[in-house]
Amino acid sequence: MKNIMLMISASTVLSVSSCSNYLDTEPIKETTVESTGKVIATAAEGESRMTSIYASFGGEYWQLDYFFNGDAQTDNSYAGSDNTQNFQQDEYRILSTNTNVSRDWGYIYDNINKCNFILNYIDEAKDLPAARKEEMIGEASLVRALNLFHAVQLWGDVPIATKAVVNVNQDNFDEVYPQLYPTRKPKAEVYAAIIADCETAIQKAPASTYKFRANKGAANALLAKVYATKDNPDWGKVKQYCDAVLAGGYTLLANYDNLFDTAHEGNSESIWEANGEGWGSPIGAWGTSMFYGTDWKKFMTPSNDLIQTFANEGDVVREKSSIIRKEVSWTDNYWASANYPFAYKMRITDGKQNFYLLRLADIMLIKAEALAQTEDIEGAMALVNQVRARVELPKISAANKANALDLILKERKMELAFEGHRWFDLKRTGKAIEILSKQKDGNGVILPYAGNLNQNRLLWPVPQTKKDANPNLTQNPGY
């Protein structure tokens, strides 16, 4: 017989009277414990927990918000569709009551909590081979690191959740209180936790050939991005982990469009990808319909600026793979209905669209940035030109460090459009306000909301619903 064990508040530690989540905050969750007293008693239960971790990539954060947050808040795209919460994001006027922000906090910490069940309790599964336990710890560590990396980039200081609490009583309340009512930790501590999880994954996760699972190559790649993103980047570490990736046997696909057509899943450029397996599978890739199709106005409408950037560079190959035009029944302030653009990298509508969490070109350009930052301009541009050669663009050179960094940032804009990177790239490089405050429409007029962006708006507000539920959470400046 299973007994339901509940996460409860201080006022109900001694008497459980409801199965509801009293605090409505993360990472507090409800779970079940076998009659043995173990959270994960068998190998089957452990594997089920692992499946739930990967199924999170079929959820709303990774299918929709991951892409929208990374591109629609930038010069790559407009909000599109008709959701007022998304317009707040696009126009840098987010409120602490924004439901997209609240749900993303919830999704991220729910994903982390799923990882914590494995990390805290997988050793209880006595019929699970030790080698598989170690592998699962490596996988869960990397997925937890990935989610926490997104959290710290979105909100700055954030809670570090490491325990999946399954019971609260007089004896353990002091121990579990920090998980029930977490405080925000300084970014330096958050990055240290992310790095520690990645290092665990390097030791224990599956080999790099397992591209649909959290793997060693992905741990190296994520570490490279983490060291490039944290305050006071460590460019030596960035180069170290980029080199570990580059030594892993990855190669750029010869045909750029093959990256997105689902006929080349798990390809030589892929480091880690979410594996859409159709409806009814753990990852039924429904998110494609949010960006592509003429049945209703879609999210993440390509911007005039991005299309002009492709045109200025003569980048026909990447534009064709990134944007498709259709006749639609609606009009807006940006595009005519007869030739309306859609983001096109997510294009397969049968639930089988894969998408990349990490791929080689991203890491090559991160290494190029590290080389430029350490004054190896020639080496930096050699990597940029490898990426450009794949899409039949001529070689370019940089006059100095600043010029090289600008060229690398523009290359990332074209190479990684609609893959969820641009907002974080602009913030990481300190270029967000400079570039986004000058966004223009198709007539060359500065967009009316471009001036809304300021230093405070580079971070999201802590959701008001979470603050109401947890008195230990503080708010970001400006909200």
Side-chain angles (χ1 to χ4, degrees):
M1 176 179 291
K2 292 184 177 181
N3 299 309
I4 300 296
M5 310 295 287
L6 301 176
M7 270 49 65
I8 50 182
S9 73
S11 63
T12 56
V13 169
L14 299 179
S15 62
V16 178
S17 60
S18 171
C19 290
S20 64
N21 183 345
Y22 180 78
L23 290 180
D24 186 30
T25 189
E26 285 70 37
I28 308 158
K29 293 289 171 185
E30 179 180 299
T31 189
T32 58
V33 179
E34 294 296 325
S35 57
T36 59
K38 296 177 181 179
V39 178
I40 301 177
T42 66
E45 290 169 6
E47 295 295 349
S48 178
R49 292 282 184 183
M50 283 302 305
T51 296
S52 75
I53 288 175
Y54 286 108
S56 69
F57 293 110
E60 201 162 15
Y61 182 80
W62 292 103
Q63 286 287 322
L64 172 58
D65 294 355
Y66 167 51
F67 302 105
F68 187 93
N69 297 344
D71 283 276
Q73 298 186 128
T74 77
D75 50 348
N76 275 1
S77 65
Y78 312 116
S81 198
D82 60 357
N83 188 302
T84 58
Q85 310 298 311
N86 293 77
F87 294 153
Q88 284 184 20
Q89 293 177 248
D90 183 26
E91 298 172 7
Y92 316 117
R93 50 182 182 85
I94 295 174
L95 302 177
S96 63
T97 54
N98 185 289
T99 55
N100 289 352
V101 172
S102 178
R103 79 184 183 195
D104 284 355
W105 179 287
Y107 287 136
I108 286 172
Y109 278 98
D110 184 52
N111 296 341
I112 288 172
N113 196 57
K114 291 175 181 177
C115 297
N116 287 340
F117 274 105
I118 290 291
L119 296 172
N120 297 166
Y121 298 111
I122 195 61
D123 280 341
E124 296 181 350
K126 298 303 183 183
D127 61 337
L128 190 65
R132 177 57 181 147
K133 289 181 182 180
E134 290 291 284
E135 190 176 63
M136 293 166 82
I137 288 170
E139 292 177 71
S141 294
L142 190 57
V143 177
R144 183 170 73 175
L146 177 67
N147 279 277
L148 193 55
F149 185 43
H150 277 246
V152 72
Q153 290 178 97
L154 290 170
W155 288 284
D157 299 350
V158 290
I160 302 172
T162 59
K163 300 293 183 181
V165 181
V166 297
N167 190 20
V168 183
N169 54 51
Q170 292 182 99
D171 296 331
N172 74 353
F173 185 74
D174 287 342
E175 177 185 353
V176 303
Y177 179 85
Q179 301 297 318
L180 299 177
Y181 298 96
T183 60
R184 300 173 70 193
K185 299 299 183 184
K187 286 190 292 181
E189 290 185 33
V190 179
Y191 277 109
I194 295 167
I195 290 166
D197 273 347
C198 289
E199 289 173 343
T200 296
I202 288 174
Q203 295 299 316
K204 299 184 177 185
S208 302
T209 51
Y210 291 92
K211 296 173 184 285
F212 303 146
R213 293 162 59 188
N215 61 74
K216 296 180 189 297
N220 284 316
L222 187 58
L223 272 174
K225 299 195 72 163
V226 166
Y227 277 111
T229 303
K230 72 184 190 72
D231 294 344
N232 302 311
D234 186 332
W235 299 113
K237 289 287 190 182
V238 175
K239 288 188 279 188
Q240 172 188 335
Y241 288 106
C242 285
D243 285 342
V245 173
L246 296 177
Y250 306 100
T251 58
L252 295 176
L253 282 185
N255 185 328
Y256 183 77
D257 197 64
N258 288 163
L259 288 165
F260 313 106
D261 63 6
T262 74
H264 299 81
E265 296 177 349
N267 58 70
S268 64
E269 186 168 342
S270 172
I271 299 173
W272 184 11
E273 65 187 89
N275 187 23
E277 298 177 282
W279 311 126
S281 69
I283 304 179
W286 55 270
T288 298
S289 64
M290 299 291 103
F291 310 117
Y292 171 64
T294 60
D295 51 337
W296 49 269
K297 193 169 188 284
K298 302 300 179 176
F299 292 98
M300 208 163 70
T301 302
S303 70
N304 293 92
D305 184 276
L306 177 63
I307 291 175
Q308 190 61 53
T309 301
F310 283 131
N312 291 345
E313 290 293 308
D315 192 350
V316 176
V317 173
R318 288 186 293 204
E319 179 178 5
K320 184 177 180 180
S321 293
S322 304
I323 297 167
I324 190 171
R325 293 177 182 267
K326 299 282 186 178
E327 183 175 358
V328 300
S329 59
W330 61 82
T331 59
D332 60 28
N333 294 328
Y334 306 112
W335 299 108
S337 58
N339 199 28
Y340 200 87
F342 295 88
Y344 192 49
K345 286 182 174 176
M346 297 286 283
R347 64 181 74 158
I348 308 302
T349 57
D350 61 0
K352 296 181 180 179
Q353 178 76 60
N354 281 23
F355 61 88
Y356 300 97
L357 301 167
L358 293 159
R359 65 179 176 91
L360 180 61
D362 177 12
I363 302 307
M364 291 174 67
L365 293 172
I366 287 289
K367 183 180 179 183
E369 186 178 337
L371 292 173
Q373 289 282 4
T374 53
E375 304 292 345
D376 183 358
I377 308 303
E378 183 177 349
M381 300 316 294
L383 285 169
V384 171
N385 286 325
Q386 285 184 49
V387 173
R388 289 173 64 86
R390 188 248 299 269
V391 293
E392 303 172 11
L393 291 180
K395 291 183 178 180
I396 54 175
S397 59
N400 51 45
K401 173 180 172 179
N403 182 220
L405 292 172
D406 285 343
L407 291 172
I408 293 165
L409 186 60
K410 181 167 67 173
E411 201 64 35
R412 289 183 63 82
K413 178 180 181 179
M414 296 183 291
E415 175 70 23
L416 301 168
F418 310 130
E419 295 181 53
H421 297 278
R422 180 69 170 169
W423 174 245
F424 304 112
D425 282 348
L426 291 172
K427 294 205 304 174
R428 174 175 55 78
T429 57
K431 294 283 189 178
I433 296 174
E434 174 189 338
I435 289 175
L436 299 181
S437 64
K438 299 174 183 175
Q439 294 178 80
K440 298 178 181 179
D441 64 18
N443 297 317
V445 178
I446 297 233
L447 293 169
Y449 57 79
N452 293 344
L453 186 61
N454 57 47
Q455 196 65 37
N456 288 339
R457 295 282 153 171
L458 294 178
L459 292 177
W460 280 5
V462 174
Q464 189 62 44
T465 55
K466 309 306 176 185
K467 285 186 80 276
D468 291 343
N470 179 2
N472 292 329
L473 289 178
T474 58
Q475 187 55 275
N476 278 327
Y479 294 100

